[in-house]
């Protein structure tokens, strides 16, 4: 064999970064892409058995021949299995699908293990079938202590620990084919003896995920993998890990508040933008079916510098209170403080409000924040932020029954937003009788009558029109408003 042929037959080495997934031909101590140290590891060599097949054009007889799409009935897929948690089922699109593989990620301390223990207990109670929880980070005694604390004590929940993939599959085999759900916490702590490399490396993570995915599809068992996250709040390991699984979930939340939001980032069997709300308590994860009350203040009298808006998390409308404080500055450079909002966008809204409303804010400290630790990047809250700033600067409180929805441009115009009907319906359901919306929105929500007070939709085109409409409104809040505006 010639030297050239020998070099072609030898697979080329490649190194993959465990932080960002970038691939390089040589090893570096520091990844050139993400600048992280010690994250490059040698990738498993690609299989070369298919080279001869490509050259000859030959193939192998498949174990199962291809079938017509019309010949596959829905009964073969099987019905969804409810988890026993309405909020979790909401994110999944109605429950677990047979053979579905989920990837749950979240920052340390977000409550991933607590949520999955609660889910394991709920699935066991709802189905009466075994649920296997395998941990590579804690012992069974530690898991059992937490399970008893949160009340997840169903007899069909089985706990196991270990870092070997073969042992985890052995636990699954021992429980028989009737297992409803398998949870692996976490995929970065388990390794396979068939692949070289440390646990958590690119090759090991992909081998563990691929093996469990094939197992889930072959046996019809739902599998949930827990994924660690990097400093950038992305799933650690190769990005291909997210492509292997069917559903990718993210558990977010501020450590200073008990609220946790479970988001569906990817979902092959349901909506990919759904959000579920949980509250982390001493008794575990508790569902929050109506989270709007957590993000708004409760008061009997209006206060200057506050305005209610309706944001959308996934496909769920949530009421949120935008607050602003304007005070004289004692420094040459006034401060601009932001909490729960995008600082660059708030700075723009301060400038727009100052110009359109004719206010002098250049020599004043301006602070803007949300209530309840909520983080909002929804442009529909722009109008509420501008009105809160104007209210704080003038000392005039807005009526309690007013809600403002709309995106604000640099010219001071108010633009229409998505899901306007759902936003208005949520505001009306919670008793807000006057809702400021962009021009042209009323046609989409004609004859809307929801909530304790009939919804009175007021269309405004600019911030100036919104301020004028509020100045002309009576105070305190009216109990009822006519429908034709």
């Amino acid at each position: 064999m010639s030297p050239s042929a020998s070099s072609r037959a030898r697979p080329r080495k490649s190194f993959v970064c465990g932080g960002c997934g970038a691939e390089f031909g040589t090893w570096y101590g520091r990844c050139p892409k993400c600048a992280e140290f010690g994250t490059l590891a040698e990738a498993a060599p690609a299989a070369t058995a298919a080279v001869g097949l490509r050259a000859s054009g030959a193939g192998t007889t498949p174990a199962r021949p291809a079938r017509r799409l019309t010949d596959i009935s829905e009964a073969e897929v099987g019905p969804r299995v409810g988890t026993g948690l309405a909020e979790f089922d909401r994110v999944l699109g109605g429950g677990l699908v047979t053979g579905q593989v989920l990837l749950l990620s979240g920052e340390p301390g977000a409550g991933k293990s607590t949520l999955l223990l609660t889910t394991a207990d709920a699935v066991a109670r709802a189905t009466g079938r075994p649920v296997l929880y395998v941990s590579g980070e804690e012992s069974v005694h530690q898991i059992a202590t937490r399970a008893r604390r949160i009340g997840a004590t169903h007899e069909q929940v089985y706990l196991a620990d270990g870092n070997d993939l073969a042992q985890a599959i052995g636990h699954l085999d021992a429980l028989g084919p009737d297992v409803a759900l398998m949870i692996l916490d976490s995929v970065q702590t388990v390794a396979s003896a068939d692949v070289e490399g440390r646990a958590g490396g690119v090759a090991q993570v992909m081998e563990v995920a691929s093996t469990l995915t094939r197992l889930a599809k072959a046996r019809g068992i739902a599998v949930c993998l827990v994924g660690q996250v990097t400093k950038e709040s992305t799933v650690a390991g190769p990005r291909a890990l997210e492509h292997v699984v069917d559903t990718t979930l993210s558990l977010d939340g501020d450590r200073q508040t008990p609220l946790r939001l479970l988001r569906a980032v990817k979902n092959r069997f349901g909506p990919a933008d759904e959000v579920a709300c949980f509250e982390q308590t001493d008794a575990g994860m508790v569902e929050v079916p109506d989270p709007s009350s957590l993000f708004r203040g409760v008061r009997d009298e209006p206060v200057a510098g506050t305005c209610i808006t309706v944001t959308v998390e996934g496909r769920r409308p949530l009421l949120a209170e935008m607050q602003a404080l304007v005070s004289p500055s004692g420094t040459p450079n006034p401060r601009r403080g932001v909490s729960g909002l995008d600082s660059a966008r708030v700075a723009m809204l301060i400038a727009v409000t100052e110009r359109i409303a004719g206010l002098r804010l250049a020599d004043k400290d301006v602070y803007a924040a949300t209530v309840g630790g909520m983080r909002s990047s929804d442009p529909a809250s722009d109008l509420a932020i501008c009105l809160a700033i104007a209210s704080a600067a003038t000392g005039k409180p807005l009526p309690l029954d007013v809600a403002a929805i709309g995106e604000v441009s640099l010219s001071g115009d108010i633009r229409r937003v998505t899901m306007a009907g759902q936003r208005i319906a949520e505001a009306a359901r919670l008793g807000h009788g006057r809702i400021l919306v962009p021009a042209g929105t009323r046609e989409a929500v004609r004859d809307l009558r929801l909530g304790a007070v009939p919804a009175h939709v007021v269309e405004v085109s600019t911030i100036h029109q919104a301020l004028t409409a509020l100045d002309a409104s009576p105070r305190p809040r009216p109990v009822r408003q006519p429908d034709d505006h």
Side-chain angles (χ1 to χ4, degrees):
M1 180 182 294
S2 64
S4 59
S6 176
S7 61
R8 285 195 301 267
R10 187 183 304 114
R12 182 177 63 88
K13 289 186 177 181
S14 63
F15 300 86
V16 180
C17 175
C20 64
E23 185 175 353
F24 306 95
T26 58
W27 183 86
Y28 297 95
R30 181 181 184 181
C31 176
K33 185 175 181 181
C34 66
E36 293 291 332
F37 288 94
T39 57
L40 263 67
E42 184 176 354
T48 58
V51 175
L53 298 180
R54 291 196 298 267
S56 62
T60 58
T61 303
R64 291 180 296 179
R67 300 173 58 186
R68 294 179 185 270
L69 173 63
T70 54
D71 294 339
I72 303 175
S73 63
E74 294 184 3
E76 296 182 56
V77 180
R80 289 182 179 267
V81 178
T83 63
L85 297 174
E87 288 294 297
F88 201 85
D89 289 342
R90 176 191 182 102
V91 172
L92 297 179
L96 294 168
V97 177
T98 302
Q100 183 176 7
V101 181
L102 301 93
L103 175 63
L104 174 64
S105 64
E107 295 182 354
K112 301 184 296 297
S113 300
T114 302
L115 175 62
L116 291 180
L117 270 177
T118 304
T119 304
D121 181 76
V123 171
R125 294 180 186 277
T127 62
R129 297 160 56 188
V131 175
L132 176 62
Y133 189 106
V134 181
S135 177
E137 302 175 351
E138 300 177 280
S139 67
V140 292
H141 302 288
Q142 294 173 320
I143 304 172
T145 300
R146 186 192 304 116
R148 294 189 185 97
R149 177 174 58 83
I150 64 177
T153 57
H154 196 273
E155 61 180 5
Q156 288 290 5
V157 177
Y158 292 84
L159 305 179
D161 55 16
N163 303 101
D164 184 69
L165 178 62
Q167 292 183 3
I169 298 177
H171 290 302
L172 189 64
D173 295 337
L175 293 177
D178 199 34
V179 176
L181 174 65
M182 175 184 179
I183 299 172
L184 181 64
D185 186 7
S186 66
V187 68
Q188 282 88 4
T189 61
V190 177
S192 172
D194 298 333
V195 178
E196 296 183 356
R198 61 178 179 85
V202 175
Q204 287 289 356
V205 169
M206 290 305 301
E207 175 66 17
V208 172
S210 301
T211 301
L212 291 179
T213 298
R214 293 193 299 268
L215 188 67
K217 306 301 181 184
R219 301 187 183 183
I221 300 173
V223 175
C224 181
L225 309 176
V226 178
Q228 301 173 358
V229 298
T230 62
K231 292 186 296 184
E232 292 78 17
S233 297
T234 58
V235 182
R239 295 303 303 269
L241 179 62
E242 301 180 37
H243 297 282
V244 172
V245 301
D246 300 312
T247 304
T248 303
L249 305 177
S250 174
L251 187 63
D252 306 323
D254 191 344
R255 292 189 178 184
Q256 307 303 322
T257 62
L259 185 70
R260 298 293 183 264
L261 298 180
L262 182 65
R263 306 173 187 271
V265 181
K266 167 193 173 182
N267 194 355
R268 290 173 177 166
F269 308 113
D273 55 355
E274 193 56 85
V275 175
C277 298
F278 294 89
E279 186 177 5
Q280 191 172 27
T281 66
D282 293 338
M285 287 290 185
V286 179
E287 297 176 276
V288 183
D290 188 10
S292 291
S293 59
L294 302 177
F295 300 124
R296 61 192 181 104
V298 179
R299 56 178 63 91
D300 297 328
E301 296 295 333
V303 177
T306 62
C307 184
I308 296 295
T309 188
V310 183
T311 65
V312 171
E313 291 288 344
R315 297 191 303 169
R316 167 176 285 185
L318 301 175
L319 248 69
E321 181 177 298
M322 301 294 144
Q323 295 185 343
L325 174 64
V326 178
S327 63
S329 177
T331 62
N333 297 318
R335 296 190 59 184
R336 299 290 186 262
V338 175
S339 176
L341 299 167
D342 181 67
S343 57
R345 191 162 190 87
V346 171
M348 181 200 77
L349 296 176
I350 292 173
V352 173
T353 305
E354 182 176 16
R355 183 178 67 84
I356 299 298
L359 303 173
R360 182 175 178 81
L361 303 176
D363 57 346
K364 296 180 175 61
D365 295 332
V366 181
Y367 302 88
T370 58
V371 173
M374 181 182 187
R375 296 179 182 178
S376 175
S377 59
D378 192 348
S381 60
D382 289 354
L383 179 57
I385 296 174
C386 292
L387 295 180
I389 294 173
S391 173
T394 59
K396 297 180 180 179
L398 304 178
L400 290 176
D401 72 329
V402 169
I405 303 169
E407 179 183 359
V408 175
S409 64
L410 288 174
S411 60
D413 296 328
I414 302 176
R415 298 174 178 173
R416 297 178 62 177
V417 296
T418 59
M419 298 180 63
Q422 292 88 330
R423 296 175 193 265
I424 295 175
E426 180 70 7
R429 182 181 69 86
L430 295 175
H432 292 273
R434 280 177 293 172
I435 308 171
L436 303 184
V437 298
T441 305
R442 192 185 303 170
E443 287 295 326
V445 292
R446 180 178 294 179
D447 300 329
L448 181 67
R449 273 181 179 272
L450 295 175
V453 181
H456 183 205
V457 179
V458 181
E459 291 188 346
V460 290
S461 301
T462 63
I463 295 180
H464 180 72
Q465 288 186 8
L467 293 172
T468 303
L470 293 176
D471 287 340
S473 62
R475 297 183 178 86
R477 66 181 183 209
V479 176
R480 182 178 293 274
Q481 288 285 335
D483 290 336
D484 51 340
H485 176 71

